[in-house]
Amino acid sequence: MATQNWTRRQMLGTAAGASALMAAGVSASATGATAQQLSYDVIVVGGGLAGLTAARRAKEQGLSVLLLEARDRVGGRVHSVALPSGTRIDLGAQFISDYQLNVTALGKEASITTHPVELPGDYLFVTSSGDVTRYDGDADPLSFTGQMRALWSYFRLGSAMDGFSATDMAALDTINAADFMRSKVWGEDLDRLFGGSYADGLCMRLEQISAYELMAQSETMGGLEGADNAEQWFIHGGAGVLADYQASHLEGAILMGAPVSAIVQDTEGVTVTSTGGTFRGRRVVIAVPPQLYPDLGLTPELPAERQAALATFQLGRVYKTLAEFETPWWREGGLSGAIVNPGGMFHGISDATPAGASTHLLVAFTSGPSADALGAEAPDEDARIAAFTRFLSKTYGRDVPDAIGGRSYDWNTDGFSLGGYSSRRGIGGWSATPDLFAPYQHIHFAGTETADEWRSYMDGAIQSGERAARAISAELAA
């Protein structure tokens, strides 16, 4: 159960392998080895869903494309693996929704099958004092007065989000989101429920970001209704099937194990230097998280106001832990396996067992402030899985079976992500430059952080790749 984190030595080893392939005149691609050219219409940096989408769409427009990926796999923050039992799991992104039209369309094209996140049975709710309440999942288990205050708070938040516009930027970008949240909800218990849930989902303390960043994120999801319906389905076989499907349309166009170290523009195009070689492109798509831009040598190429906005970026912090059991013991007595624990060390717990699997899974997320606590208490993978099973024992009020397997991935130390699910502009980041990710000369930007729809979700990554490819095709056709 050792975590597959990238060390510097592993990075250099992968780079050496790619260099050896280059010396032999071939490149490692997702579908085999092909002859390598040095000049392209489009170079895409990053092989997550955004980069794969941009590269595929550009290729479909008849453009020559090279995708450079630092890892030895495609997918980026989508990462599906098999446990020794054969059960496939997602160490990264996994949830999709009918509200997310881009990923739904791709899933339909790739002929995926899904199974629901919500299963029959009751939920467990953990209060701030650690008490556990059983409920049906339709409404949080609050007193009548608490329900009224929650409805009032929900209305206040919804009204603010419905009335949100760019004209509010100057004021909202100076207010931290925690203070904004407290001004809209009624009572400390609801501040934990609403504020804790948002901090969990955004993977950072609300004090780190502005109210404008919070509102802008919500707008890309369609407001509170979108947030309530963001996580409806698991993908059978893992979300990695989407990345593999996109990569299957890019035969000979992917060079893996090729971290980029320099990106330089001139009047004719862009020169991109990687461990796999130096290449020229008429256009380049940057499809990696913004916190990696300095590693690409990209930052000096950008205007001062964009550099100022990037300097505010806050890294999302998240651990994802899955525990594997021989039986679904949590389903006893009509429970679903779902646990709601806003702001807790393990939150958003659900039954993630794929249909037909021989073993059974519970998945939990630890993000934002809780990630710091878990990292200090359980710094290695086995310790985090053990901590999760202790939490389950305490929450269920019984001894639970030993996990027969599992994984706990630390996205904070993944050298090619430096966090998850998404990074975000800090306070003042929007005011520094609203159009941070607009095309700049020959450089285009993709990635879920740049998305106009469902930012920080897979759907947003796909949408951003589609957008970049359309813009480049139009430019090169002009």
Side-chain angles (χ1 to χ4, degrees):
M1 290 187 280
T3 304
Q4 298 300 306
N5 291 329
W6 281 87
T7 65
R8 182 173 297 276
R9 178 173 295 182
Q10 286 172 308
M11 293 180 193
L12 292 174
T14 303
S19 299
L21 287 170
M22 285 301 300
V26 298
S27 69
S29 79
T31 52
T34 62
Q36 183 69 55
Q37 64 191 70
L38 299 177
S39 182
Y40 297 85
D41 292 319
V42 184
I43 296 174
V44 178
V45 179
L49 282 179
L52 290 166
T53 300
R56 180 188 172 192
R57 295 308 184 205
K59 185 177 181 182
E60 289 173 348
Q61 293 298 315
L63 301 175
S64 58
V65 175
L66 174 66
L67 188 153
L68 297 171
E69 167 53 44
R71 294 179 171 94
D72 62 354
R73 62 172 180 83
V74 295
R77 287 172 285 187
V78 171
H79 187 19
S80 303
V81 300
L83 294 172
S85 63
T87 300
R88 289 193 63 80
I89 62 171
D90 282 306
L91 296 178
Q94 66 182 50
F95 299 117
I96 63 172
S97 163
D98 294 339
Y99 286 65
Q100 299 164 354
L101 302 184
N102 298 289
V103 73
T104 298
L106 178 61
K108 183 177 181 179
E109 182 184 343
S111 300
I112 65 169
T113 57
T114 60
H115 58 282
V117 173
E118 292 189 9
L119 297 177
D122 287 345
Y123 286 40
L124 297 179
F125 183 89
V126 183
T127 69
S128 57
S129 61
D131 295 331
V132 179
T133 301
R134 177 172 176 160
Y135 71 113
D136 62 10
D138 290 336
D140 294 313
L142 303 171
S143 66
F144 177 79
T145 302
Q147 292 285 358
M148 294 301 100
R149 289 190 292 112
L151 286 172
W152 183 88
S153 300
Y154 194 89
F155 172 77
R156 293 258 295 169
L157 277 173
S159 296
M161 292 174 179
D162 288 343
F164 167 77
S165 73
T167 60
D168 302 314
M169 184 184 299
L172 292 176
D173 203 31
T174 63
I175 303 169
N176 76 60
D179 288 342
F180 173 82
M181 184 68 67
R182 281 190 286 268
S183 74
K184 300 299 179 185
V185 302
W186 187 356
E188 291 185 8
D189 56 337
L190 293 184
D191 181 45
R192 173 184 180 259
L193 181 60
F194 283 85
S197 295
Y198 270 92
D200 293 340
L202 298 176
C203 297
M204 59 188 60
R205 299 190 314 275
L206 294 186
E207 289 85 356
Q208 293 178 259
I209 59 173
S210 71
Y212 191 88
E213 168 67 19
L214 177 68
M215 302 284 272
Q217 169 67 37
S218 178
E219 184 181 45
T220 71
M221 301 164 61
L224 292 179
E225 182 180 3
D228 288 343
N229 293 281
E231 300 170 354
Q232 295 179 320
W233 307 102
F234 293 110
I235 299 173
H236 188 70
V241 299
L242 297 175
D244 292 341
Y245 178 79
Q246 294 287 64
S248 71
H249 291 78
L250 292 167
E251 182 174 1
I254 303 176
L255 180 61
M256 292 190 285
V260 168
S261 58
I263 296 173
V264 180
Q265 292 197 92
D266 55 43
T267 57
E268 301 300 320
V270 185
T271 300
V272 180
T273 301
S274 76
T275 57
T278 298
F279 307 96
R280 285 285 295 175
R282 297 170 68 191
R283 297 292 186 274
V284 65
V285 178
I286 308 301
V288 301
Q291 58 266 29
L292 298 181
Y293 289 3
D295 294 344
L296 306 180
L298 174 65
T299 308
E301 290 292 313
L302 301 177
E305 64 272 16
R306 299 205 191 193
Q307 294 185 41
L310 288 168
T312 73
F313 259 71
Q314 305 294 307
L315 304 186
R317 292 185 55 75
V318 63
Y319 295 95
K320 183 174 183 182
T321 304
L322 298 102
E324 183 182 29
F325 299 92
E326 289 183 341
T327 63
W329 52 265
W330 53 88
R331 297 178 189 169
E332 297 170 5
L335 291 170
S336 67
I339 302 173
V340 178
N341 183 27
M345 185 172 291
F346 296 100
H347 58 79
I349 295 97
S350 60
D351 185 329
T353 307
S358 59
T359 59
H360 302 269
L361 297 170
L362 287 175
V363 60
F365 297 87
T366 304
S367 57
S370 302
D372 296 327
L374 180 61
E377 177 181 318
D380 64 77
E381 184 172 34
D382 288 348
R384 291 192 295 273
I385 295 171
F388 181 36
T389 57
R390 288 196 299 274
F391 166 80
L392 292 172
S393 292
K394 181 178 179 181
T395 304
Y396 279 88
R398 51 163 286 189
D399 290 335
V400 305
D402 291 334
I404 61 172
R407 293 295 308 270
S408 181
Y409 199 84
D410 181 359
W411 285 98
N412 315 302
T413 59
D414 185 303
F416 297 125
S417 293
L418 295 180
Y421 324 117
S422 178
S423 55
R424 303 184 183 281
R425 302 190 202 208
I427 296 172
W430 281 95
S431 301
T433 175
D435 60 349
L436 174 60
F437 298 115
Y440 179 65
Q441 297 177 16
H442 307 307
I443 299 175
H444 289 251
F445 298 90
T448 196
E449 284 88 351
T450 77
D452 304 312
E453 303 168 9
W454 287 98
R455 180 154 56 93
S456 78
Y457 286 81
M458 288 187 284
D459 191 82
I462 296 166
Q463 182 261 326
S464 72
E466 299 271 7
R467 182 198 65 222
R470 284 195 304 271
I472 289 173
S473 296
E475 285 181 12
L476 297 184

